[in-house]
Amino acid sequence: MMKQVSVFQPGWVPTAAGQRPPLNEERLPEDEVARIGAYLEAGAVVMRTTALGVDILKDDEKVVPMTIRTDGEFVWTGPVTYYVQTYGVSPDADFLAHVRARDYEVRVPTDEEIQAAAAVFMPPR
């Protein structure tokens, strides 16, 4: 099963209309921001769009890419890459362990893995 990567606090439930999910409080060490960011950028594209999402830390400015990527085991959206690269927000601990264990090298996923990653974001049939 494909695992999703997030930079948002787990278990958050909105209590009012328009609330934005809070980002993880943990920040990556400076020397690791570029390495994790490069890993995220190097993932295989699952779905590409020119649509931009809002930066919740920048007055909802529409600058956040929404492209979806995978490494064959994990799948992530553009906001994950954006918040890691822009603010050093730490993604999930299990993803970090996975990337570090791979020495920050992304492998090329199979077509089946890319399809499985796409299925994470597709509505059920």
Side-chain angles (χ1 to χ4, degrees), residues 7-8 40-41 47-55 61-69 76-87:
V7 288
F8 297 100
L40 292 163
E41 284 284 347
M47 294 179 195
R48 182 180 307 279
T49 179
T50 58
L52 296 173
V54 299
D55 180 334
E61 185 179 342
K62 285 195 160 205
V63 294
V64 181
M66 300 304 288
T67 297
I68 299 169
R69 298 178 185 269
W76 56 90
T77 59
V80 172
T81 305
Y82 178 83
Y83 286 109
V84 165
Q85 292 176 328
T86 307
Y87 300 107

Side-chain angles (χ1 to χ4, degrees), residues 2-59:
M2 193 69 54
K3 299 173 233 166
Q4 281 187 263
V5 182
S6 181
V7 288
F8 297 100
Q9 292 181 14
W12 177 80
V13 177
T15 57
Q19 275 190 320
R20 304 265 191 240
L23 291 164
N24 289 337
E25 291 180 10
E26 185 179 340
R27 297 298 184 257
L28 293 167
E30 235 179 89
D31 63 326
E32 202 170 30
V33 170
R35 295 181 87 185
I36 298 293
Y39 185 98
L40 292 163
E41 284 284 347
V45 173
V46 174
M47 294 179 195
R48 182 180 307 279
T49 179
T50 58
L52 296 173
V54 299
D55 180 334
I56 61 174
L57 299 177
K58 203 181 226 180
D59 297 325

